[in-house]
């Protein structure tokens, strides 16, 4: 009772209570109960704040997300608006639709985040926003809104690389020291890197075609899983994982791609083609047209999921062996961090656990809600960059977003900027002294080159693969149940 009377004397508390009484959150938001409420009141009453407070904004694909994180790693407030149900109805993400939904929700999501955290825009240390890679139309919404905020409130701006944020999320919840191995698997990416610093990464391998999440979504769409009564509101990857628990993977064999390739790259398009051929054959046998559910849908889901898990496990196993052999990582207390939306798949996690158990690595994964796109990882990446003094901008003149390669707008921009990129290549070639960085590796990479006007992680490339590494059949992974 004493504390209630004490707090009620402050006008700022009354203001917060008034806002809370009229605000009803209609999107998915994370509130931290009574302790977070008291903390927000305490901060607003006595004006005591951590050294740094960062607002993170994420709009790279189909989720509008925001969060406030302090420099101790506390999540003071976050909110998220998911477009999943809309895109399930259209059979995939339509960029103009995603853009419009971001525009309709971004201001509300940011206001809700600030309300939950009890922090005002004036009290922020900086605003961090995803600027690369992603859908051009989606990235543009987040960047435009953020630049208006930093201009109005005179705050530093921290442009964030989406994959760097995923890679560093684990350091929010675990004490993980550099360097460590990172596997990022999502609907748009599949890469293996060694995190050597906040913005310093050594690229070991990446998908040469499509990402695992994209492959799983496309197979789920071809199986018409939105018509399955248990999966009608699930994303493709979630539907595959759910039905696979009921199926027998041994009924179909998809094989493991790239088993004889002496590198750590991935390929999922071949698995997708094999799955499609199996589906077409079963439709023919059952006399069904495309768009109808097969009787063996659970078995196909199980086989597809197992093939993806086995491929990821084998290539990751090779990367671990390479890191140990080359001395990039010490075998003592070495860590594999797995993040990204596909990292929430428990079957894939079990396959990777087999790999890390066999190689004496620690396996760390963020909780599922921090594996998918979220504002927390963007805000935390902002905190990490502020600590490192890297990429904190006090002028946003010329700042731009950089969409994922393959986006039509990205192709047009790259043609226009070809002279600029050629100059960057010359600079990079004259300044690369790190192990394993060669001109061939640079020319073969599918990652965007660093932009002169928006900070990006230092991405080095290892091309020192040795032929004598094991082929990594990893028979133990084949025995997953």
């Amino acid at each position: 009772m004493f504390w209630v009377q004490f707090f009620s004397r402050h006008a700022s508390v009354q203001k917060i209570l008034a806002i809370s009484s009229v605000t009803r959150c209609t999107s998915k938001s994370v509130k931290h109960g009574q302790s977070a409420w008291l903390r927000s009141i305490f901060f607003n009453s006595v004006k005591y704040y951590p050294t740094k407070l960062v607002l993170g904004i994420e709009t790279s694909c189909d989720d509008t997300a925001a969060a406030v994180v302090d420099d101790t790693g506390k999540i003071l407030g976050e909110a998220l608006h998911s477009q999943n149900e809309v895109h399930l109805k259209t059979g995939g993400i339509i960029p103009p639709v995603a853009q419009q939904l971001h525009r309709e929700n971004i201001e509300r999501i940011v206001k809700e985040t600030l309300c939950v955290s009890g922090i005002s825009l004036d009290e922020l240390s900086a605003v961090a926003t995803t600027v690369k890679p992603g859908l051009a139309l989606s990235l543009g919404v987040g960047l435009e809104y953020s630049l208006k905020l930093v201009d109005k409130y005179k705050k530093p701006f921290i442009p964030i690389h989406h994959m760097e944020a995923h890679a560093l999320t684990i350091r929010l919840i675990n004490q993980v020291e550099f360097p460590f191995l990172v596997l990022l698997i999502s609907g748009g990416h599949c890469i293996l890197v060694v995190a050597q610093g906040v913005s310093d990464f050594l690229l070991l391998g990446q998908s040469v075609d499509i990402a695992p999440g994209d492959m799983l979504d496309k197979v789920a769409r071809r199986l018409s899983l939105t018509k399955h009564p248990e999966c009608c509101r699930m994303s493709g990857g979630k539907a595959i994982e759910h039905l696979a628990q009921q199926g027998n993977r041994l009924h179909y064999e998809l094989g493991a791609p790239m088993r004889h390739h002496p590198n750590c790259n991935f390929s999922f398009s071949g698995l997708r083609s094999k799955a499609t051929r199996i589906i077409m054959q079963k439709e023919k046998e059952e006399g069904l047209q495309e768009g109808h559910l097969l009787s063996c849908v659970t078995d196909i889901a199980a086989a597809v999921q197992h093939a993806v898990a086995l491929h990821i496990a084998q290539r990751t196993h090779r990367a671990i062996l390479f890191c140990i052999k080359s001395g990039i990582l010490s075998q003592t207390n070495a860590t594999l961090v797995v993040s990204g939306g596909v990292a929430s798949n428990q079957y894939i996690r079990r396959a990777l656990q087999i790999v890390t158990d066999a190689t004496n690595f620690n396996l760390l994964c963020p909780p599922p809600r921090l594996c998918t796109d979220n504002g927390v990882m963007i805000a935390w990446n902002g905190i990490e960059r502020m600590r490192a003094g890297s990429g904190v901008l006090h002028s946003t003149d010329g700042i731009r977003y950089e969409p994922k390669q393959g986006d039509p707008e990205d192709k047009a921009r790259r043609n226009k900027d070809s002279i600029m990129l050629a100059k960057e290549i010359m600079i990079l070639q004259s300044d690369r002294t790190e192990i394993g960085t060669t001109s061939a590796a640079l020319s073969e990479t599918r990652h965007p080159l660093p932009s002169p006007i928006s900070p990006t992680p230092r991405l080095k490339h290892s091309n020192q693969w040795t032929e004598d590494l094991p082929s990594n059949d990893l028979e133990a992974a084949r025995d997953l149940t």
Side-chain angles (χ1 to χ4, degrees):
M1 189 65 183
F2 166 77
W3 288 109
V4 173
Q5 293 173 349
F6 174 79
F7 288 138
S8 66
R9 295 192 185 102
H10 294 80
S12 59
V13 178
Q14 294 174 359
K15 181 179 179 181
I16 292 173
L17 293 174
I19 293 174
S20 299
S21 66
V22 299
T23 302
R24 294 294 181 267
C25 301
T26 58
S27 66
K28 174 186 173 186
S29 64
V30 180
K31 299 180 176 61
H32 303 277
Q34 190 72 8
S35 61
W37 183 77
L38 288 174
R39 180 174 64 244
S40 68
I41 291 179
F42 181 72
F43 282 174
N44 282 277
S45 299
V46 300
K47 297 298 178 185
Y48 171 79
Y49 300 99
T51 305
K52 298 178 180 67
L53 291 166
V54 173
L55 169 66
I57 296 176
E58 156 65 20
T59 64
S60 66
C61 191
D62 60 338
D63 287 329
T64 311
V68 174
V69 176
D70 70 19
D71 59 354
T72 68
K74 289 182 180 178
I75 303 169
L76 302 183
E78 65 173 305
L80 172 75
H81 177 268
S82 175
Q83 303 176 8
N84 184 55
E85 289 192 17
V86 173
H87 298 306
L88 279 176
K89 294 177 181 177
T90 59
I93 298 173
I94 301 175
V97 174
Q99 178 190 45
Q100 183 58 34
L101 291 172
H102 282 308
R103 284 175 173 168
E104 292 174 0
N105 290 284
I106 188 168
E107 183 171 8
R108 176 175 59 82
I109 289 298
V110 170
K111 286 183 177 179
E112 181 181 325
T113 298
L114 295 171
C115 175
V116 172
S117 67
I119 302 298
S120 70
L121 284 163
D122 288 320
E123 294 157 349
L124 293 172
S125 303
V127 175
T129 303
T130 306
V131 299
K132 67 171 76 171
L135 298 177
L137 296 179
S138 295
L139 289 169
V141 175
L143 180 58
E144 180 183 7
Y145 183 83
S146 299
L147 293 183
K148 288 180 180 178
L149 285 183
V150 299
D151 181 63
K152 180 177 180 180
Y153 292 93
K154 308 303 178 187
K155 299 296 178 181
F157 180 65
I158 309 174
I160 298 296
H161 191 293
H162 186 76
M163 303 315 290
E164 178 182 304
H166 272 303
L168 299 180
T169 299
I170 196 68
R171 284 165 52 88
L172 172 70
I173 55 178
N174 291 85
Q175 291 184 341
V176 183
E177 299 297 328
F178 297 112
F180 55 89
L181 182 61
V182 183
L183 170 66
L184 301 176
I185 43 178
S186 67
H189 302 274
C190 185
I191 63 175
L192 275 163
V193 297
V194 177
Q196 299 177 316
V198 170
S199 58
D200 187 5
F201 297 87
L202 177 66
L203 177 64
L204 301 182
Q206 60 189 315
S207 176
V208 298
D209 38 59
I210 61 176
D214 185 33
M215 179 264 187
L216 291 171
D217 286 343
K218 284 181 168 63
V219 171
R221 196 175 308 142
R222 185 61 183 80
L223 286 168
S224 303
L225 296 190
T226 55
K227 296 181 179 180
H228 195 287
E230 298 177 15
C231 306
C232 58
R233 303 188 68 176
M234 294 181 183
S235 65
K238 287 292 185 184
I240 291 286
E241 181 180 11
H242 175 74
L243 292 179
Q245 298 175 27
Q246 309 166 35
N248 187 344
R249 65 174 177 80
L250 297 177
H251 286 177
Y252 303 99
E253 177 62 43
L254 275 73
M258 305 186 76
R259 289 179 60 180
H260 304 294
H261 288 244
N263 55 39
C264 290
N265 289 333
F266 302 83
S267 175
F268 297 94
S269 62
L271 291 177
R272 177 195 171 191
S273 297
K274 290 179 182 179
T276 300
R277 287 195 293 270
I278 290 173
I279 294 169
M280 292 174 65
Q281 178 62 32
K282 297 306 295 182
E283 286 174 341
K284 184 177 179 180
E285 292 176 6
E286 295 187 15
L288 296 175
Q289 296 292 322
E290 180 178 343
H292 292 78
L293 285 172
L294 291 167
S295 61
C296 56
V297 65
T298 57
D299 295 337
I300 294 176
V304 167
Q305 177 178 253
H306 179 75
V308 170
L310 180 60
H311 181 44
I312 291 173
Q314 288 178 340
R315 307 311 283 177
T316 303
H317 186 207
R318 184 174 179 84
I320 288 175
L321 295 178
F322 173 74
C323 287
I324 295 172
K325 183 180 180 67
S326 61
I328 295 174
L329 294 176
S330 169
Q331 197 165 8
T332 304
N333 201 32
T335 298
L336 169 65
V337 172
V338 184
S339 190
V342 179
S344 61
N345 183 294
Q346 296 301 309
Y347 190 88
I348 292 175
R349 285 197 187 190
R350 292 207 304 275
L352 291 168
Q353 187 70 64
I354 291 172
V355 173
T356 53
D357 287 347
T359 52
N360 295 317
F361 266 54
N362 299 315
L363 176 63
L364 294 177
C365 304
R369 75 177 188 87
L370 294 181
C371 283
T372 53
D373 293 350
N374 60 87
V376 172
M377 70 178 190
I378 306 304
W380 175 248
N381 198 169
I383 291 289
E384 291 263 41
R385 280 189 167 268
M386 290 190 77
R387 286 175 176 173
S390 172
V392 181
L393 307 181
H394 295 276
S395 172
T396 58
D397 292 342
I399 192 70
R400 69 188 181 203
Y401 58 83
E402 295 186 17
K404 182 183 177 184
Q405 285 190 324
D407 186 292
E409 184 172 330
D410 179 45
K411 292 180 180 178
R413 179 184 62 79
R414 287 179 177 275
N415 290 333
K416 183 177 179 180
D417 293 347
S418 58
I419 296 177
M420 181 185 298
L421 292 174
K423 291 180 179 179
E424 292 177 30
I425 291 174
M426 293 175 64
I427 295 172
L428 286 169
Q429 287 177 333
S430 65
D431 192 41
R432 288 198 312 274
T433 57
E434 296 86 1
I435 182 172
T437 54
T438 65
S439 297
L442 178 64
S443 63
E444 292 171 5
T445 179
R446 301 170 69 90
H447 281 258
L449 291 172
S451 165
I453 56 177
S454 59
T456 192
R458 289 178 58 221
L459 189 62
K460 298 169 291 187
H461 307 267
S462 180
N463 201 34
Q464 295 187 342
W465 306 115
T466 55
E467 296 291 344
D468 59 338
L469 285 177
S471 60
N472 303 324
D473 285 343
L474 204 64
E475 293 300 326
R478 293 184 178 274
D479 296 328
L480 277 170
T481 57

